[in-house]
Amino acid sequence: MGYYAPDNHLCDCGHCGQRLTGRQERYCSAACRQAAYRGSKQPKRLEFKPCPLCGEPFHVTSKRKKFCDYHDEAEDDCRAAQDDLDDAAWLAAEERRTALCVHCGQPAGWSGRGRPRRFCSNHCKQADYRKRRAQRAA
């Protein structure tokens, strides 16, 4: 009556490689079992992964890194593509900062998080709703 299936038994410890004795099926001790479990739960780190812009493999130093290193490994095309992405992000942020109210055209304001506001105040929001409702009724 074992915990593991009969075809899954090992002769040596699955973690440290020590010879198993007695009723031991896979690990020589609880410490080895726990160490193997902890090791299996840790994410596997990639040494290299392909850059989505140029397709060339680059060295991964953190899990948030997406593109080639700008100064070391990136080629001219990839550097230009990274610059274009940075410019697009800057333009999108600038559009959010300078968003205008749909109803009156005044600056709507932006808190710095999320989508830009469509209206500068609740008054404009309500007035725009009433205007659209009147247009649908007509």
Side-chain angles (χ1 to χ4, degrees):
M1 176 180 156
Y3 179 76
Y4 298 102
D7 60 334
N8 203 10
H9 288 211
L10 301 175
C11 296
D12 297 329
C13 177
H15 180 68
C16 69
Q18 187 178 4
R19 196 83 172 143
L20 297 179
T21 60
R23 295 178 60 192
Q24 298 168 343
E25 297 177 355
R26 208 162 189 204
Y27 301 105
C28 63
S29 65
C32 276
R33 179 179 46 78
Q34 289 173 344
Y37 176 77
R38 285 189 198 108
S40 70
K41 293 301 176 190
Q42 291 179 351
K44 307 293 186 253
R45 295 196 74 193
L46 298 173
E47 285 285 325
F48 289 90
K49 73 178 185 181
C51 175
L53 298 175
C54 65
E56 293 294 320
F58 67 95
H59 183 67
V60 178
T61 54
S62 79
K63 61 183 177 182
R64 297 183 67 190
K65 189 172 180 182
K66 296 179 183 176
F67 307 112
C68 303
D69 286 334
Y70 189 80
H71 301 288
D72 298 338
E73 303 165 3
E75 295 186 19
D76 293 335
D77 295 337
C78 191
R79 287 181 186 168
Q82 288 181 39
D83 288 340
D84 292 343
L85 285 176
D86 291 341
D87 292 344
W90 183 83
L91 282 173
E94 192 62 28
E95 286 176 4
R96 287 191 294 267
R97 276 192 286 280
T98 59
L100 298 177
C101 177
V102 174
H103 182 69
C104 68
Q106 296 295 319
W110 182 53
S111 65
R113 292 174 43 190
R115 295 183 300 200
R117 293 178 59 183
R118 291 187 62 214
F119 302 100
C120 61
S121 64
N122 284 337
H123 173 72
C124 283
K125 184 177 181 180
Q126 186 67 34
D128 190 66
Y129 170 73
R130 288 182 179 144
K131 179 178 155 187
R132 284 184 282 126
R133 190 177 64 184
Q135 286 175 349
R136 263 187 267 147

